């Protein structure tokens, strides 16, 4: 059951009756507070209408869910519509309403249950919501009698699926630009970080849970464990830049140590932070590792030899590496990395804190990196 656009509801006809008359059997419309009649309208309570109970939420995606409930058989045949009150959980106490003072809510014709509620303009991925249901009977004069509200149920929408991530991938492909050759991955941190790794982790950097930067619906945020690396190079030198937002000490490792025929490459996210430049998150996971199994279930896999972002090809028996020029790549490696595999040295440039993406929020208005399934 597809839900119309929210802006249609905000510019709805002058009365709710006029709007509701336009409902088809499989449509959901939105009534807002301004469109309703006064307290003398026909929205009134009638105890004979059954109150929904034992509400079940199922088939949850990032922008849809199915809802069903049980009802007493008494007067069940009189039900013509369902009223569904849907609110973000954090706002549930600020949006209480009476039957005769109704703010925005979903109005659906009484279709067989379970019923699908879908709409990216009012459902966001990975967000907690509350929902309650009311049965209604439309009268010959266009007014309604309604039941009491059901109990309030809480649920959380899901992450982006592979289908949604593939849509993001296709948008990222468009702006990736030409490929530049590189030879090392690098990771900048403060000196204290590397001292701690040597003293407490046996001289090996350990994976940690990814923060919540990037797309709100990304399935790797707060779940995937890995180590962030960069591979971008300066156009004029072909070497890593000397500036970094993450610390003055840099670990460099030969590209083939992390990215080779024994690893898989996955697309993780595409986003910007209210800036002209965009970020692409890629995941490198050793074949068969826990990180590889995690990604295989959730992320689109890329051909390591042929994609728009990061490639590993063989030329004359030597592995050759290229990265996209027009996006900033953030590469997550999912296994521990011993410091002995590379070198740690102090950089000569500046620490540009303004470029940090730690817990950075995605610009929801950017047409380049957003898809129509929430942000």
């Amino acid at each position: 059951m597809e839900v119309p656009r929210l802006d249609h509801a905000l510019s709805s006809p002058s009365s709710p009756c006029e709007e509701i008359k336009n409902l088809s059997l499989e449509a959901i419309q939105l009534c807002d507070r301004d469109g309703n009649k006064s307290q003398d309208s026909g929205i009134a309570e009638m105890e004979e209408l059954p109150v929904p109970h034992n509400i079940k939420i199922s088939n949850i995606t990032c922008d849809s869910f199915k809802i069903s409930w049980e009802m007493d058989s008494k007067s069940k045949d009189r039900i013509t519509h369902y009223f569904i009150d849907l609110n973000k959980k954090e706002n549930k106490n600020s949006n209480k309403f009476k039957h005769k003072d109704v703010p925005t809510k979903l109005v659906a014709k009484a279709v067989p249950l379970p019923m699908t509620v879908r709409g990216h303009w009012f459902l966001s991925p990975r967000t907690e919501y509350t929902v309650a249901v009311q049965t209604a009977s439309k009268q010959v004069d266009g007014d309604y009698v309604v039941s009491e509200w059901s109990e309030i149920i809480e649920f959380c929408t899901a992450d982006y699926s592979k289908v949604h991530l593939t849509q993001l991938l296709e948008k990222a492909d468009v702006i990736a630009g030409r490929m530049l050759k590189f030879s090392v991955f690098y990771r900048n941190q403060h000196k204290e970080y590397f001292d701690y790794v040597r003293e407490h982790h046996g001289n090996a950097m350990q994976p940690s849970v990814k923060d919540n930067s990037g797309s709100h619906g990304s399935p790797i945020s707060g779940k995937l464990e890995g180590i962030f690396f960069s591979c971008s190079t300066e156009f004029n030198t072909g070497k890593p830049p000397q500036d970094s937002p993450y610390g003055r000490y840099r670990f460099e490792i030969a590209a083939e140590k992390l990215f080779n025929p024994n690893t898989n490459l996955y697309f993780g996210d595409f986003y910007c932070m209210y800036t002209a430049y965009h970020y692409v998150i890629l995941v490198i996971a050793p074949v068969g590792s826990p990180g590889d199994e995690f990604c295989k279930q959730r992320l689109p896999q890329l051909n390591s030899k042929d994609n728009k972002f990061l490639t590993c090809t063989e030329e004359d028996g030597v592995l050759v590496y290229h990265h996209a020029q027009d996006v900033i790549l953030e590469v997550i490696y999912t296994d521990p990395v011993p410091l002995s595999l590379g070198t740690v040295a102090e950089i000569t440039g500046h620490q540009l804190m303004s470029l940090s993406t730690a817990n950075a929020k995605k610009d929801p208005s950017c047409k380049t990196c957003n898809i129509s399934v929430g942000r």
Side-chain angles (χ1 to χ4, degrees), residues 181-198:
K181 187 177 287 189
F182 77 100
S183 60
V184 298
F185 289 103
Y186 56 93
R187 173 175 172 81
N188 276 73
Q189 282 288 345
H190 299 286
K191 181 177 182 296
E192 292 76 12
Y193 168 83
F194 293 109
D195 290 342
Y196 188 87
V197 168
R198 294 185 185 98

Side-chain angles (χ1 to χ4, degrees), residues 98-235:
K98 301 176 182 178
H99 298 151
K100 299 178 182 180
D101 185 20
V102 184
T104 301
K105 68 178 183 295
L106 304 176
V107 180
K109 283 217 173 169
V111 297
L113 301 177
M115 177 173 61
T116 298
V117 178
R118 185 188 311 278
H120 69 266
W121 45 92
F122 60 84
L123 283 173
S124 297
R126 199 184 281 200
T127 302
E128 292 183 325
Y129 290 91
T130 63
V131 63
V133 185
Q134 190 179 42
T135 59
S137 177
K138 187 176 182 179
Q139 307 301 291
V140 293
D141 59 0
D143 289 338
Y144 288 82
V145 291
V146 296
S147 71
E148 295 181 1
W149 285 101
S150 70
E151 75 274 22
I152 295 174
I153 299 298
E154 299 179 358
F155 71 100
C156 184
T157 48
D159 299 331
Y160 285 162
S161 68
K162 280 187 179 182
V163 172
H164 303 124
L165 288 172
T166 299
Q167 294 176 25
L168 272 183
L169 167 61
E170 292 170 350
K171 294 179 79 77
D173 276 347
V174 175
I175 69 162
R178 68 172 183 152
M179 303 290 278
L180 300 178
K181 187 177 287 189
F182 77 100
S183 60
V184 298
F185 289 103
Y186 56 93
R187 173 175 172 81
N188 276 73
Q189 282 288 345
H190 299 286
K191 181 177 182 296
E192 292 76 12
Y193 168 83
F194 293 109
D195 290 342
Y196 188 87
V197 168
R198 294 185 185 98
E199 294 174 14
H200 298 280
H201 292 301
N203 209 42
M205 294 183 292
Q206 300 296 315
S208 59
V209 177
K210 183 194 172 298
D211 65 12
N212 289 316
S213 60
S215 300
H216 187 59
S218 173
I220 62 177
S221 294
K223 296 180 180 180
L224 177 66
E225 294 187 356
I227 305 170
F228 265 107
F229 286 92
S230 299
C231 63
S232 299
T233 55
E234 293 181 326
F235 177 76

